[in-house]
Amino acid sequence: MKPSRKFEDLVELISILRKECPWDRKQTHHSIKDNLIEEAYEAVEAIDNNDMEELRKELGDLLLHVVFQTKMASETDHFEIGDVIYSISEKLIRRHPHVFGDTVAEEENQVAANWEAIKLKEGRESILDGVPKHLPGLIRAQRMQEKAANVGFDWAEWKLAWNKLNEEIDEWRDAVENQTAKEQQEEFGDLLFSLVNVGRLIGLNAEDAIRGANRKFIHRFQHIEKSLKENNRSIVDASLEEMDQLWDEAKNNSRDKSNS
């Protein structure tokens, strides 16, 4: 079999692997579910890096998992790939009555409100039911806030949310000084939730922000390690003052590059 650009050939390829490859034959829906999550994050990383070549590959990996999961479901007569395609097509048409029906929605917020109203009519008990529990905490917090905002439950402006943020900072400080570890944890969570809210209201993405901060920390910390190693030093033997100096050096180098 040769590589192909046709979707049906990919489906056939997966069918062959399920029959003839011992590893592929052994897999179940549960055994590769974490791989699906991993591939999604690798696609996100490619997007963050503006690497279109890598994104092309990672989207292929995601498509592989869609077809693979569907193939396993078809083996037990639950559904096949045509059912998956029909399901998403039907949903998109049903949830876009302003495009395929008579509903009028000229603004983005109208589209979002209609989307949530349609999902409630489909049988969901809550606007928040559609936010997966296994999402990373910052993403889940922002998605819940966005969904609540879609139906009007939101701050009128970011400055009002900033006041709430300051209130949560004071409550967390009090908890750290006077309360139990459990209460400290709870107040810390409230603070993080409020911080996500303020960022959302001024157009920031909390998960993107923390990933950027993580990358920055890795770059600067590894600069410390590299600089010490070049001088035949181990980081475990370096003083905090030395590490702080090298940290500032990495920080200044990053600023110089961004300004050049």
Side-chain angles (χ1 to χ4, degrees):
M1 191 170 189
K2 295 181 179 180
S4 170
R5 293 176 178 270
K6 296 181 179 179
F7 180 74
E8 56 266 30
D9 289 342
L10 174 62
V11 175
E12 177 61 21
L13 174 58
I14 300 304
S15 296
I16 293 172
L17 291 175
R18 280 290 284 176
K19 292 178 182 177
E20 301 185 12
C21 174
W23 187 90
D24 290 291
R25 193 166 53 237
K26 182 181 178 181
Q27 302 313 307
T28 67
H29 291 292
H30 289 280
S31 70
I32 58 172
K33 64 182 181 182
D34 290 340
N35 301 78
L36 174 59
I37 296 172
E38 180 180 341
E39 297 299 351
Y41 274 106
E42 288 180 354
V44 170
E45 184 174 349
I47 293 171
D48 285 345
N49 293 334
N50 294 313
D51 190 337
M52 292 297 105
E53 177 65 17
E54 190 63 24
L55 179 59
R56 176 182 63 81
K57 296 176 183 177
E58 297 303 340
L59 290 176
D61 290 341
L62 276 174
L63 183 58
L64 161 64
H65 277 272
V66 171
V67 176
F68 202 116
Q69 290 281 355
T70 303
K71 173 58 182 173
M72 290 188 290
S74 70
E75 293 167 355
T76 52
D77 296 324
H78 283 90
F79 56 83
E80 59 181 10
I81 195 65
D83 300 317
V84 174
I85 294 171
Y86 178 87
S87 177
I88 187 58
S89 299
E90 188 276 333
K91 181 189 294 184
L92 288 173
I93 294 169
R94 173 166 36 84
R95 292 188 181 177
H96 288 79
H98 55 289
V99 176
F100 302 106
D102 299 326
T103 301
V104 177
E106 298 179 354
E107 302 293 335
E108 181 182 350
N109 61 338
Q110 292 177 299
V111 173
N114 287 342
W115 184 278
E116 300 299 345
I118 291 169
K119 286 193 287 188
L120 287 178
K121 289 179 181 179
E122 292 171 355
R124 289 188 177 174
E125 296 293 329
S126 167
I127 292 292
L128 305 180
D129 284 347
V131 183
K133 295 178 181 179
H134 295 300
L135 278 178
L138 291 180
I139 296 179
R140 191 166 187 237
Q142 186 142 352
R143 289 296 294 129
M144 289 193 296
Q145 292 170 8
E146 290 169 349
K147 285 182 171 291
N150 286 342
V151 293
F153 188 74
D154 202 7
W155 298 97
E157 59 171 336
W158 69 267
K159 292 180 180 179
L160 297 175
W162 186 274
N163 293 336
K164 178 62 175 176
L165 174 62
N166 285 326
E167 177 185 321
E168 295 296 349
I169 291 174
D170 291 339
E171 290 181 1
W172 184 51
R173 175 67 180 268
D174 178 70
V176 170
E177 293 178 342
N178 303 307
Q179 299 181 35
T180 66
K182 181 180 179 181
E183 291 166 323
Q184 293 169 13
Q185 179 89 347
E186 182 177 339
E187 293 298 340
F188 185 47
D190 291 345
L191 173 57
L192 289 174
F193 194 86
S194 292
L195 190 58
V196 171
N197 216 6
V198 173
R200 175 184 63 83
L201 286 164
I202 59 176
L204 302 179
N205 182 289
E207 189 67 22
D208 286 346
I210 194 62
R211 283 202 298 263
N214 289 342
R215 287 194 298 270
K216 190 187 299 181
F217 181 86
I218 290 170
H219 169 74
R220 293 176 183 175
F221 191 81
Q222 289 179 342
H223 174 79
I224 296 173
E225 294 176 310
K226 180 180 178 181
S227 298
L228 289 168
K229 187 175 182 180
E230 288 173 349
N231 289 283
N232 297 316
R233 301 280 309 286
S234 170
I235 194 167
V236 297
D237 298 323
S239 67
L240 178 58
E241 290 75 14
E242 288 177 288
M243 289 189 284
D244 277 340
Q245 183 177 354
L246 291 169
W247 176 277
D248 290 338
E249 182 179 290
K251 185 176 181 180
N252 291 331
N253 288 343
S254 297
R255 287 175 177 170
D256 291 341
K257 289 180 181 179
S258 64
N259 292 329
S260 63

